Every structure is written in structure tokens, then in C-alpha cells.
Amino acid sequence: DAKTTQPPSMDCAEGRAANLPCNHSTISGNEYVYWYRQIHSQGPQYIIHGLKNNETNEMASLIITEDRKSSTLILPHATLRDTAVYYCIVSLRFGNEKLTFGTGTRLTIIP
Amino acid sequence: GAVVSQHPSWVICKSGTSVKIECRSLDFQATTMFWYRQFPKQSLMLMATSNEGSKATYEQGVEKDKFLINHASLTLSTLTVTSAHPEDSSFYICTSGDNSPLHFGNGTRLTVT
């Protein structure tokens, strides 16, 4: 799996948009970008994934650059409950593909 | 859909004893389960992959005789930490490989005293 690079930590004011960057310059053509988050002492929670088009769901938006070497997860209106470690992972989509977690970004939402 | 239930959510055991952790798929059949371990302030590390009806595949550095994995049915995989030591204290998390994206259990916090 391609390696990802994320900033170790970020702060964001409550109510503002949180933009979390991720570099994945060695991504291959059939690998997807997945985002998960882990709130303290819980299992990782799936957020969103994409291949090359931008994606949006009820939780977040995912912006992938045209060359697919980086992406940004956007939480449009951050709340205190969004404080968590966010993991950007590159992987094939098909079943039985294990996910390799990096160190992620610790996002702290500030009241 | 794709709910994975893990039990217990936390357990404390004495050094030298064994502890079993269960991972159940509630609304689907899981032919593959991934077991992860997470030490404090660290990321998740894959320990092993269990396949229904066959032997598990362990990652390098994970002792298969210490971390026994059984995947005898399509809805249940178990991880038994044998002869637990304080250094085995960790957060253990499972997920099924049969769905994309992967949905994780809520984890089991193991403390060995």
C-alpha cells in the first residue's frame, strides 16, 4: 500500500471548517483514499473514501487533487465531538484488503 | 449494515492467565477478520488475519502461540491472549474484511496486572 503523510496535530475553532491534508504521492491508479477517525478509546470510524473525484457525504467532504498525490478532508462545521485522531489511508477497494494505519492527525476542536 | 460487535469492551486479568476476546459480525457473514493492536499514544498495528475454517495468518513479530485466533464460523472470530503479561496490555480491535469500507469493532481494552 502507498504511504501517507499527515501533520501530527491541528487545532480548529468550533463552528469553523476543519481542513485536514494528506500526502500520498506514491498512490497507484487503482488505490482509493480512505479517511477514518478514532475518538479516544473507541474503534476507528469510517468517514469517507474516493478514487479521483471529489466526494461528499453527511459527515465530510473529500477533495482529491487532479494528480491524486494529495487530498484534503473537510469537516464543514466542526463541533467538539469531532475531536479525534484522523487517519488517511490508501488502499485497494476490494474485499479482504487490510488497512495500514499511519500516525494520523490529532485534531482538537477548540470552543 | 456491516456491524461488528466486540466483547468484552474492557477486561482486567492477572499475569499468567488467558483472556479471550470475541468479534462478531451481526448482519453479515465474515470470511475474513483482521485483528489490530494499539498501544497507548500509538497507531493501530495489524496483528493477524483470520480466515473462516483455516489457520490465521500472523504479521511478522506476532507470536502465533501466544495470540490464538479461532474463526470457526462465519459470524465469530476469537482472539485468546495466552499467559498474559503486563506488556500485553493494549487496545485490541477487530474488523471484518468482507465489506468495503471496513467497519471496526469498538475495541477491547486489556489490562494485565
Side-chain angles (χ1 to χ4, degrees):
Chain A
D1 294 338
K3 182 178 172 59
T4 62
T5 304
Q6 298 177 253
S9 64
M10 292 180 63
D11 292 339
C12 178
E14 186 179 16
R16 304 296 292 270
N19 297 287
L20 292 90
C22 179
N23 286 323
H24 31 79
S25 59
T26 60
I27 191 171
S28 62
N30 55 354
E31 287 182 312
Y32 285 70
V33 180
Y34 288 86
W35 282 84
Y36 283 78
R37 72 181 182 184
Q38 187 178 25
I39 296 170
H40 183 63
S41 294
Q42 296 183 23
Q45 177 189 22
Y46 165 77
I47 301 173
I48 199 167
H49 73 280
L51 183 62
K52 54 183 179 181
N53 297 322
N54 297 338
E55 302 287 345
T56 295
N57 63 20
E58 65 278 6
M59 290 183 69
S61 294
L62 173 60
I63 308 298
I64 303 174
T65 58
E66 192 169 341
D67 63 8
R68 302 209 323 125
K69 292 184 177 182
S70 65
S71 61
T72 301
L73 178 74
I74 301 172
L75 307 178
H77 304 287
T79 71
L80 298 178
R81 288 178 295 180
D82 292 322
T83 292
V85 177
Y86 287 75
Y87 296 98
C88 167
I89 303 167
V90 170
S91 180
L92 296 173
R93 183 177 182 182
F94 302 106
N96 297 331
E97 288 296 327
K98 61 188 179 186
L99 296 182
T100 301
F101 286 79
T103 53
T105 295
R106 181 172 298 278
L107 176 67
T108 302
I109 306 302
I110 301 171
Chain B
V3 175
V4 174
S5 175
Q6 207 170 326
H7 178 82
S9 56
W10 61 270
V11 58
I12 302 172
C13 73
K14 292 187 175 181
S15 186
T17 62
S18 296
V19 173
K20 180 184 287 188
I21 302 170
E22 294 184 348
C23 184
R24 293 182 183 274
S25 57
L26 298 186
D27 52 0
F28 65 98
Q29 294 184 327
T31 59
T32 302
M33 290 281 198
F34 298 119
W35 286 94
Y36 289 81
R37 177 170 56 182
Q38 185 177 33
F39 292 109
K41 300 187 186 301
Q42 295 185 23
S43 188
L44 286 79
M45 295 296 294
L46 182 68
M47 296 177 66
T49 303
S50 75
N51 299 292
E52 188 267 336
S54 63
K55 290 185 178 180
T57 303
Y58 291 81
E59 296 298 303
Q60 190 173 8
V62 178
E63 302 173 57
K64 65 179 185 343
D65 294 329
K66 181 173 181 60
F67 299 98
L68 301 179
I69 291 176
N70 183 283
H71 193 156
S73 80
L74 288 171
T75 58
L76 175 64
S77 175
T78 61
L79 168 67
T80 301
V81 183
T82 63
S83 187
H85 289 107
E87 55 265 33
D88 298 323
S89 297
S90 188
F91 192 51
Y92 293 86
I93 309 164
C94 67
T95 181
S96 167
D98 291 71
N99 293 281
S100 179
L102 300 185
H103 290 268
F104 290 79
N106 269 330
T108 296
R109 172 80 53 196
L110 170 63
T111 302
V112 183
T113 61

